[in-house]
Amino acid sequence: KAQGDYSPDERADRFPKWQASRTTELDLFTLLDHKFDTGKGRVRTREDYRAKLKSFTDFIGHSDAGRVTKDDVRKWRDKLIKAGLDPKTINDKYKAALSAVLTHGVKEFSLPDNVAKGIQDRRGSTGPKGPPGYTEEQAKNILTATFKGTAKALSAPHRRALFWVPWICAYQGLRVTEVTQLRGVDVRHENGIPILTISGEAGSTKSDRAWSTAVHPHLIEMGLLDMFQAIGDGPAFYTPYPEATDLSVLQGSARAQEAGNRVADWINTILDTPAPLNRPNHAWRHLFTSLSRKYALDKPIRDYMMGSGPGDAREGYGDFPPEAQRREIEKLPRFEVAVGSYRPPLDRVAPQPLRKGTGKPVVPKLRRRTTPRKPRT
């Protein structure tokens, strides 16, 4: 070529093809596992990150962090936008997972830079607009509907979830999975005051916090404590796991989460219009917060009972005695609805084994008939 000959090289195959050297430690999934093995993080967060990284590596065709370019990240973001994902989902889920792993590679390995830094989906939110929580009228419609039960052939935990979860969310302001994972062992009395204990031992909590909340008196009148006592120490709203299962490290979709999804689907059938921001379960938390302001609940105690971190470091000092919690929760007036006699069954359900790698139960397959049916006469 230096002498002006640009014809194809007939002996080009005499040299081996060049390949970039790959360092195993800079594999994105290796970095992911090292990040969680050497630091804090829940199993579910790790698996969610893994799913997001797989989306990225499938898109670029490799998992070598050293070969990832800013152009790769930008094109991946654009692909997610075209797929219809909301900006918050792209930024806080997909891009956040990739950025966290790349940052770990910069801090602890020889990765020179986090090339995902600065790349965001800067569109305005594409989600629905409107009030974030239920109106009191909407809440009453849903709570009234719980007394109608259902004609569908549902399991006892499923029926209990459809009845009790909306009521507990309405009066306690908890996140739905913190409710659906409640077990009989999580209900206790302290100084004679009924308390719900929210902890990671039952499944998962926001930021791995553990706390308690006094039970609203209307729930006690309706029989909530009696229900938990009847079903024993196990879960009230989903099929139990095998004995000795560590609920805090389950992978895949937890049964408590699936129970919450069923409640959301049921609520959508009750409302004439879509739930606020299309989040049927989370809308209770907003309503509870609005009512807590209307009836002047003490903010630090309210935040503690809802599982929110203190806004001021000093608010985290000391304890939140059950007497103080009961005083505040009793400020919320009861929802004036016609209380019906229906209550879901109290049957105890036998544990079901796990599908491999998930929190889902094994569903037995129906055997195929091997002999022909007899003709009807």
PDB file of all heavy atoms in Angstrom, residues 57-86:
ATOM      1  N   THR A  57     -26.560  -6.199  27.756  1.00  0.00           N
ATOM      2  CA  THR A  57     -25.578  -7.050  27.074  1.00  0.00           C
ATOM      3  C   THR A  57     -26.178  -7.721  25.849  1.00  0.00           C
ATOM      4  O   THR A  57     -25.477  -7.941  24.856  1.00  0.00           O
ATOM      5  CB  THR A  57     -25.012  -8.114  28.028  1.00  0.00           C
ATOM      6  OG1 THR A  57     -26.085  -8.903  28.572  1.00  0.00           O
ATOM      7  CG2 THR A  57     -24.248  -7.448  29.177  1.00  0.00           C
ATOM      8  N   ASP A  58     -27.467  -8.060  25.908  1.00  0.00           N
ATOM      9  CA  ASP A  58     -28.114  -8.604  24.712  1.00  0.00           C
ATOM     10  C   ASP A  58     -28.114  -7.564  23.595  1.00  0.00           C
ATOM     11  O   ASP A  58     -27.980  -7.896  22.412  1.00  0.00           O
ATOM     12  CB  ASP A  58     -29.541  -9.034  25.020  1.00  0.00           C
ATOM     13  CG  ASP A  58     -29.614 -10.315  25.840  1.00  0.00           C
ATOM     14  OD1 ASP A  58     -28.566 -10.971  25.998  1.00  0.00           O
ATOM     15  OD2 ASP A  58     -30.705 -10.650  26.331  1.00  0.00           O
ATOM     16  N   PHE A  59     -28.247  -6.300  23.984  1.00  0.00           N
ATOM     17  CA  PHE A  59     -28.306  -5.229  22.991  1.00  0.00           C
ATOM     18  C   PHE A  59     -26.940  -4.982  22.347  1.00  0.00           C
ATOM     19  O   PHE A  59     -26.842  -4.813  21.126  1.00  0.00           O
ATOM     20  CB  PHE A  59     -28.810  -3.941  23.650  1.00  0.00           C
ATOM     21  CG  PHE A  59     -28.816  -2.741  22.748  1.00  0.00           C
ATOM     22  CD1 PHE A  59     -29.752  -2.623  21.727  1.00  0.00           C
ATOM     23  CD2 PHE A  59     -27.871  -1.735  22.902  1.00  0.00           C
ATOM     24  CE1 PHE A  59     -29.749  -1.518  20.882  1.00  0.00           C
ATOM     25  CE2 PHE A  59     -27.862  -0.632  22.067  1.00  0.00           C
ATOM     26  CZ  PHE A  59     -28.806  -0.529  21.054  1.00  0.00           C
ATOM     27  N   ILE A  60     -25.868  -4.971  23.150  1.00  0.00           N
ATOM     28  CA  ILE A  60     -24.549  -4.640  22.590  1.00  0.00           C
ATOM     29  C   ILE A  60     -23.786  -5.882  22.128  1.00  0.00           C
ATOM     30  O   ILE A  60     -22.777  -5.765  21.437  1.00  0.00           O
ATOM     31  CB  ILE A  60     -23.682  -3.847  23.593  1.00  0.00           C
ATOM     32  CG1 ILE A  60     -23.367  -4.693  24.833  1.00  0.00           C
ATOM     33  CG2 ILE A  60     -24.374  -2.546  23.975  1.00  0.00           C
ATOM     34  CD1 ILE A  60     -22.385  -4.022  25.792  1.00  0.00           C
ATOM     35  N   GLY A  61     -24.239  -7.079  22.536  1.00  0.00           N
ATOM     36  CA  GLY A  61     -23.626  -8.308  22.045  1.00  0.00           C
ATOM     37  C   GLY A  61     -22.432  -8.818  22.827  1.00  0.00           C
ATOM     38  O   GLY A  61     -21.784  -9.773  22.402  1.00  0.00           O
ATOM     39  N   HIS A  62     -22.133  -8.228  23.986  1.00  0.00           N
ATOM     40  CA  HIS A  62     -21.044  -8.748  24.829  1.00  0.00           C
ATOM     41  C   HIS A  62     -21.248  -8.208  26.248  1.00  0.00           C
ATOM     42  O   HIS A  62     -22.121  -7.365  26.494  1.00  0.00           O
ATOM     43  CB  HIS A  62     -19.672  -8.324  24.293  1.00  0.00           C
ATOM     44  CG  HIS A  62     -19.428  -6.845  24.350  1.00  0.00           C
ATOM     45  ND1 HIS A  62     -18.969  -6.206  25.470  1.00  0.00           N
ATOM     46  CD2 HIS A  62     -19.602  -5.871  23.409  1.00  0.00           C
ATOM     47  CE1 HIS A  62     -18.845  -4.913  25.242  1.00  0.00           C
ATOM     48  NE2 HIS A  62     -19.231  -4.687  23.990  1.00  0.00           N
ATOM     49  N   SER A  63     -20.432  -8.705  27.193  1.00  0.00           N
ATOM     50  CA  SER A  63     -20.566  -8.265  28.585  1.00  0.00           C
ATOM     51  C   SER A  63     -19.249  -7.729  29.141  1.00  0.00           C
ATOM     52  O   SER A  63     -19.069  -7.668  30.358  1.00  0.00           O
ATOM     53  CB  SER A  63     -21.048  -9.429  29.453  1.00  0.00           C
ATOM     54  OG  SER A  63     -20.125 -10.508  29.420  1.00  0.00           O
ATOM     55  N   ASP A  64     -18.327  -7.335  28.277  1.00  0.00           N
ATOM     56  CA  ASP A  64     -17.028  -6.808  28.692  1.00  0.00           C
ATOM     57  C   ASP A  64     -17.163  -5.326  29.031  1.00  0.00           C
ATOM     58  O   ASP A  64     -17.353  -4.482  28.153  1.00  0.00           O
ATOM     59  CB  ASP A  64     -16.013  -7.004  27.570  1.00  0.00           C
ATOM     60  CG  ASP A  64     -14.592  -6.644  27.988  1.00  0.00           C
ATOM     61  OD1 ASP A  64     -14.437  -6.030  29.063  1.00  0.00           O
ATOM     62  OD2 ASP A  64     -13.653  -6.982  27.253  1.00  0.00           O
ATOM     63  N   ALA A  65     -17.059  -4.998  30.325  1.00  0.00           N
ATOM     64  CA  ALA A  65     -17.215  -3.610  30.762  1.00  0.00           C
ATOM     65  C   ALA A  65     -16.156  -2.709  30.140  1.00  0.00           C
ATOM     66  O   ALA A  65     -16.402  -1.521  29.895  1.00  0.00           O
ATOM     67  CB  ALA A  65     -17.136  -3.526  32.285  1.00  0.00           C
ATOM     68  N   GLY A  66     -14.969  -3.258  29.858  1.00  0.00           N
ATOM     69  CA  GLY A  66     -13.908  -2.449  29.282  1.00  0.00           C
ATOM     70  C   GLY A  66     -14.173  -2.021  27.858  1.00  0.00           C
ATOM     71  O   GLY A  66     -13.562  -1.065  27.363  1.00  0.00           O
ATOM     72  N   ARG A  67     -15.078  -2.709  27.184  1.00  0.00           N
ATOM     73  CA  ARG A  67     -15.402  -2.366  25.794  1.00  0.00           C
ATOM     74  C   ARG A  67     -16.688  -1.551  25.670  1.00  0.00           C
ATOM     75  O   ARG A  67     -17.065  -1.136  24.569  1.00  0.00           O
ATOM     76  CB  ARG A  67     -15.536  -3.650  24.972  1.00  0.00           C
ATOM     77  CG  ARG A  67     -14.248  -4.425  24.802  1.00  0.00           C
ATOM     78  CD  ARG A  67     -14.516  -5.810  24.242  1.00  0.00           C
ATOM     79  NE  ARG A  67     -15.319  -5.767  23.003  1.00  0.00           N
ATOM     80  CZ  ARG A  67     -15.980  -6.824  22.518  1.00  0.00           C
ATOM     81  NH1 ARG A  67     -15.955  -7.977  23.180  1.00  0.00           N
ATOM     82  NH2 ARG A  67     -16.662  -6.720  21.389  1.00  0.00           N
ATOM     83  N   VAL A  68     -17.375  -1.329  26.767  1.00  0.00           N
ATOM     84  CA  VAL A  68     -18.622  -0.559  26.726  1.00  0.00           C
ATOM     85  C   VAL A  68     -18.301   0.903  26.441  1.00  0.00           C
ATOM     86  O   VAL A  68     -17.407   1.486  27.053  1.00  0.00           O
ATOM     87  CB  VAL A  68     -19.388  -0.681  28.055  1.00  0.00           C
ATOM     88  CG1 VAL A  68     -20.612   0.235  28.062  1.00  0.00           C
ATOM     89  CG2 VAL A  68     -19.824  -2.124  28.287  1.00  0.00           C
ATOM     90  N   THR A  69     -19.020   1.500  25.519  1.00  0.00           N
ATOM     91  CA  THR A  69     -18.804   2.900  25.159  1.00  0.00           C
ATOM     92  C   THR A  69     -20.026   3.741  25.510  1.00  0.00           C
ATOM     93  O   THR A  69     -21.126   3.216  25.715  1.00  0.00           O
ATOM     94  CB  THR A  69     -18.537   3.044  23.649  1.00  0.00           C
ATOM     95  OG1 THR A  69     -19.740   2.686  22.924  1.00  0.00           O
ATOM     96  CG2 THR A  69     -17.400   2.142  23.210  1.00  0.00           C
ATOM     97  N   LYS A  70     -19.805   5.030  25.574  1.00  0.00           N
ATOM     98  CA  LYS A  70     -20.920   5.953  25.822  1.00  0.00           C
ATOM     99  C   LYS A  70     -21.961   5.833  24.715  1.00  0.00           C
ATOM    100  O   LYS A  70     -23.168   5.941  24.960  1.00  0.00           O
ATOM    101  CB  LYS A  70     -20.388   7.385  25.922  1.00  0.00           C
ATOM    102  CG  LYS A  70     -21.412   8.408  26.388  1.00  0.00           C
ATOM    103  CD  LYS A  70     -20.773   9.745  26.630  1.00  0.00           C
ATOM    104  CE  LYS A  70     -19.980   9.791  27.907  1.00  0.00           C
ATOM    105  NZ  LYS A  70     -20.853   9.766  29.118  1.00  0.00           N
ATOM    106  N   ASP A  71     -21.491   5.579  23.517  1.00  0.00           N
ATOM    107  CA  ASP A  71     -22.397   5.407  22.382  1.00  0.00           C
ATOM    108  C   ASP A  71     -23.294   4.189  22.591  1.00  0.00           C
ATOM    109  O   ASP A  71     -24.478   4.208  22.260  1.00  0.00           O
ATOM    110  CB  ASP A  71     -21.585   5.252  21.092  1.00  0.00           C
ATOM    111  CG  ASP A  71     -22.434   5.434  19.839  1.00  0.00           C
ATOM    112  OD1 ASP A  71     -23.225   6.395  19.809  1.00  0.00           O
ATOM    113  OD2 ASP A  71     -22.298   4.629  18.914  1.00  0.00           O
ATOM    114  N   ASP A  72     -22.737   3.092  23.178  1.00  0.00           N
ATOM    115  CA  ASP A  72     -23.532   1.899  23.478  1.00  0.00           C
ATOM    116  C   ASP A  72     -24.677   2.240  24.432  1.00  0.00           C
ATOM    117  O   ASP A  72     -25.830   1.841  24.233  1.00  0.00           O
ATOM    118  CB  ASP A  72     -22.658   0.814  24.129  1.00  0.00           C
ATOM    119  CG  ASP A  72     -21.663   0.193  23.174  1.00  0.00           C
ATOM    120  OD1 ASP A  72     -21.934   0.200  21.955  1.00  0.00           O
ATOM    121  OD2 ASP A  72     -20.627  -0.306  23.641  1.00  0.00           O
ATOM    122  N   VAL A  73     -24.348   2.989  25.481  1.00  0.00           N
ATOM    123  CA  VAL A  73     -25.344   3.330  26.505  1.00  0.00           C
ATOM    124  C   VAL A  73     -26.420   4.239  25.920  1.00  0.00           C
ATOM    125  O   VAL A  73     -27.615   4.069  26.173  1.00  0.00           O
ATOM    126  CB  VAL A  73     -24.671   3.989  27.721  1.00  0.00           C
ATOM    127  CG1 VAL A  73     -25.710   4.297  28.797  1.00  0.00           C
ATOM    128  CG2 VAL A  73     -23.575   3.082  28.277  1.00  0.00           C
ATOM    129  N   ARG A  74     -25.991   5.211  25.125  1.00  0.00           N
ATOM    130  CA  ARG A  74     -26.959   6.143  24.533  1.00  0.00           C
ATOM    131  C   ARG A  74     -27.928   5.408  23.611  1.00  0.00           C
ATOM    132  O   ARG A  74     -29.138   5.637  23.653  1.00  0.00           O
ATOM    133  CB  ARG A  74     -26.219   7.245  23.768  1.00  0.00           C
ATOM    134  CG  ARG A  74     -27.139   8.223  23.035  1.00  0.00           C
ATOM    135  CD  ARG A  74     -26.337   9.260  22.266  1.00  0.00           C
ATOM    136  NE  ARG A  74     -25.398   8.657  21.330  1.00  0.00           N
ATOM    137  CZ  ARG A  74     -25.754   8.161  20.155  1.00  0.00           C
ATOM    138  NH1 ARG A  74     -27.028   8.174  19.765  1.00  0.00           N
ATOM    139  NH2 ARG A  74     -24.847   7.657  19.345  1.00  0.00           N
ATOM    140  N   LYS A  75     -27.402   4.524  22.763  1.00  0.00           N
ATOM    141  CA  LYS A  75     -28.278   3.793  21.837  1.00  0.00           C
ATOM    142  C   LYS A  75     -29.219   2.852  22.581  1.00  0.00           C
ATOM    143  O   LYS A  75     -30.374   2.660  22.179  1.00  0.00           O
ATOM    144  CB  LYS A  75     -27.425   3.012  20.843  1.00  0.00           C
ATOM    145  CG  LYS A  75     -26.701   3.901  19.827  1.00  0.00           C
ATOM    146  CD  LYS A  75     -25.848   3.068  18.875  1.00  0.00           C
ATOM    147  CE  LYS A  75     -25.162   3.953  17.842  1.00  0.00           C
ATOM    148  NZ  LYS A  75     -24.285   3.167  16.928  1.00  0.00           N
ATOM    149  N   TRP A  76     -28.735   2.268  23.679  1.00  0.00           N
ATOM    150  CA  TRP A  76     -29.593   1.394  24.508  1.00  0.00           C
ATOM    151  C   TRP A  76     -30.725   2.199  25.129  1.00  0.00           C
ATOM    152  O   TRP A  76     -31.878   1.783  25.107  1.00  0.00           O
ATOM    153  CB  TRP A  76     -28.731   0.741  25.574  1.00  0.00           C
ATOM    154  CG  TRP A  76     -29.456  -0.199  26.506  1.00  0.00           C
ATOM    155  CD1 TRP A  76     -30.258  -1.252  26.151  1.00  0.00           C
ATOM    156  CD2 TRP A  76     -29.427  -0.176  27.932  1.00  0.00           C
ATOM    157  NE1 TRP A  76     -30.715  -1.885  27.285  1.00  0.00           N
ATOM    158  CE2 TRP A  76     -30.218  -1.245  28.387  1.00  0.00           C
ATOM    159  CE3 TRP A  76     -28.796   0.644  28.871  1.00  0.00           C
ATOM    160  CZ2 TRP A  76     -30.400  -1.517  29.745  1.00  0.00           C
ATOM    161  CZ3 TRP A  76     -28.968   0.372  30.216  1.00  0.00           C
ATOM    162  CH2 TRP A  76     -29.761  -0.699  30.646  1.00  0.00           C
ATOM    163  N   ARG A  77     -30.380   3.380  25.666  1.00  0.00           N
ATOM    164  CA  ARG A  77     -31.418   4.256  26.216  1.00  0.00           C
ATOM    165  C   ARG A  77     -32.460   4.602  25.151  1.00  0.00           C
ATOM    166  O   ARG A  77     -33.670   4.561  25.408  1.00  0.00           O
ATOM    167  CB  ARG A  77     -30.793   5.534  26.760  1.00  0.00           C
ATOM    168  CG  ARG A  77     -31.825   6.537  27.307  1.00  0.00           C
ATOM    169  CD  ARG A  77     -31.299   7.943  27.231  1.00  0.00           C
ATOM    170  NE  ARG A  77     -31.014   8.341  25.858  1.00  0.00           N
ATOM    171  CZ  ARG A  77     -30.369   9.456  25.545  1.00  0.00           C
ATOM    172  NH1 ARG A  77     -29.915  10.271  26.488  1.00  0.00           N
ATOM    173  NH2 ARG A  77     -30.152   9.761  24.263  1.00  0.00           N
ATOM    174  N   ASP A  78     -32.009   4.935  23.947  1.00  0.00           N
ATOM    175  CA  ASP A  78     -32.935   5.283  22.870  1.00  0.00           C
ATOM    176  C   ASP A  78     -33.834   4.106  22.520  1.00  0.00           C
ATOM    177  O   ASP A  78     -35.015   4.284  22.214  1.00  0.00           O
ATOM    178  CB  ASP A  78     -32.159   5.737  21.639  1.00  0.00           C
ATOM    179  CG  ASP A  78     -31.393   7.038  21.871  1.00  0.00           C
ATOM    180  OD1 ASP A  78     -31.653   7.693  22.897  1.00  0.00           O
ATOM    181  OD2 ASP A  78     -30.529   7.381  21.037  1.00  0.00           O
ATOM    182  N   LYS A  79     -33.286   2.895  22.577  1.00  0.00           N
ATOM    183  CA  LYS A  79     -34.084   1.699  22.289  1.00  0.00           C
ATOM    184  C   LYS A  79     -35.171   1.511  23.351  1.00  0.00           C
ATOM    185  O   LYS A  79     -36.312   1.175  23.040  1.00  0.00           O
ATOM    186  CB  LYS A  79     -33.183   0.465  22.253  1.00  0.00           C
ATOM    187  CG  LYS A  79     -33.927  -0.861  22.044  1.00  0.00           C
ATOM    188  CD  LYS A  79     -32.954  -2.016  21.996  1.00  0.00           C
ATOM    189  CE  LYS A  79     -33.686  -3.347  21.830  1.00  0.00           C
ATOM    190  NZ  LYS A  79     -34.450  -3.719  23.047  1.00  0.00           N
ATOM    191  N   LEU A  80     -34.817   1.762  24.617  1.00  0.00           N
ATOM    192  CA  LEU A  80     -35.796   1.631  25.698  1.00  0.00           C
ATOM    193  C   LEU A  80     -36.899   2.675  25.562  1.00  0.00           C
ATOM    194  O   LEU A  80     -38.068   2.404  25.859  1.00  0.00           O
ATOM    195  CB  LEU A  80     -35.094   1.768  27.057  1.00  0.00           C
ATOM    196  CG  LEU A  80     -34.063   0.680  27.394  1.00  0.00           C
ATOM    197  CD1 LEU A  80     -33.354   1.018  28.700  1.00  0.00           C
ATOM    198  CD2 LEU A  80     -34.721  -0.690  27.480  1.00  0.00           C
ATOM    199  N   ILE A  81     -36.532   3.872  25.114  1.00  0.00           N
ATOM    200  CA  ILE A  81     -37.539   4.912  24.889  1.00  0.00           C
ATOM    201  C   ILE A  81     -38.510   4.478  23.796  1.00  0.00           C
ATOM    202  O   ILE A  81     -39.733   4.599  23.943  1.00  0.00           O
ATOM    203  CB  ILE A  81     -36.858   6.247  24.512  1.00  0.00           C
ATOM    204  CG1 ILE A  81     -36.117   6.829  25.720  1.00  0.00           C
ATOM    205  CG2 ILE A  81     -37.896   7.253  23.993  1.00  0.00           C
ATOM    206  CD1 ILE A  81     -35.317   8.072  25.410  1.00  0.00           C
ATOM    207  N   LYS A  82     -37.969   3.942  22.697  1.00  0.00           N
ATOM    208  CA  LYS A  82     -38.819   3.482  21.594  1.00  0.00           C
ATOM    209  C   LYS A  82     -39.714   2.325  22.024  1.00  0.00           C
ATOM    210  O   LYS A  82     -40.805   2.133  21.483  1.00  0.00           O
ATOM    211  CB  LYS A  82     -37.960   3.076  20.403  1.00  0.00           C
ATOM    212  CG  LYS A  82     -37.299   4.241  19.690  1.00  0.00           C
ATOM    213  CD  LYS A  82     -36.482   3.773  18.494  1.00  0.00           C
ATOM    214  CE  LYS A  82     -35.826   4.949  17.775  1.00  0.00           C
ATOM    215  NZ  LYS A  82     -34.993   4.504  16.627  1.00  0.00           N
ATOM    216  N   ALA A  83     -39.250   1.549  23.007  1.00  0.00           N
ATOM    217  CA  ALA A  83     -40.050   0.429  23.501  1.00  0.00           C
ATOM    218  C   ALA A  83     -41.213   0.891  24.371  1.00  0.00           C
ATOM    219  O   ALA A  83     -42.051   0.089  24.769  1.00  0.00           O
ATOM    220  CB  ALA A  83     -39.168  -0.541  24.279  1.00  0.00           C
ATOM    221  N   GLY A  84     -41.258   2.196  24.683  1.00  0.00           N
ATOM    222  CA  GLY A  84     -42.389   2.746  25.424  1.00  0.00           C
ATOM    223  C   GLY A  84     -42.205   2.820  26.922  1.00  0.00           C
ATOM    224  O   GLY A  84     -43.166   3.073  27.650  1.00  0.00           O
ATOM    225  N   LEU A  85     -40.979   2.610  27.424  1.00  0.00           N
ATOM    226  CA  LEU A  85     -40.760   2.671  28.858  1.00  0.00           C
ATOM    227  C   LEU A  85     -40.801   4.109  29.362  1.00  0.00           C
ATOM    228  O   LEU A  85     -40.401   5.034  28.667  1.00  0.00           O
ATOM    229  CB  LEU A  85     -39.420   2.036  29.229  1.00  0.00           C
ATOM    230  CG  LEU A  85     -39.421   0.521  29.466  1.00  0.00           C
ATOM    231  CD1 LEU A  85     -39.747  -0.223  28.189  1.00  0.00           C
ATOM    232  CD2 LEU A  85     -38.096   0.055  30.041  1.00  0.00           C
ATOM    233  N   ASP A  86     -41.284   4.265  30.580  1.00  0.00           N
ATOM    234  CA  ASP A  86     -41.375   5.576  31.212  1.00  0.00           C
ATOM    235  C   ASP A  86     -39.977   6.076  31.575  1.00  0.00           C
ATOM    236  O   ASP A  86     -39.092   5.277  31.907  1.00  0.00           O
ATOM    237  CB  ASP A  86     -42.238   5.481  32.471  1.00  0.00           C
ATOM    238  CG  ASP A  86     -42.510   6.828  33.104  1.00  0.00           C
ATOM    239  OD1 ASP A  86     -43.445   7.510  32.676  1.00  0.00           O
ATOM    240  OD2 ASP A  86     -41.754   7.191  34.034  1.00  0.00           O
TER     241      ASP A  86
END
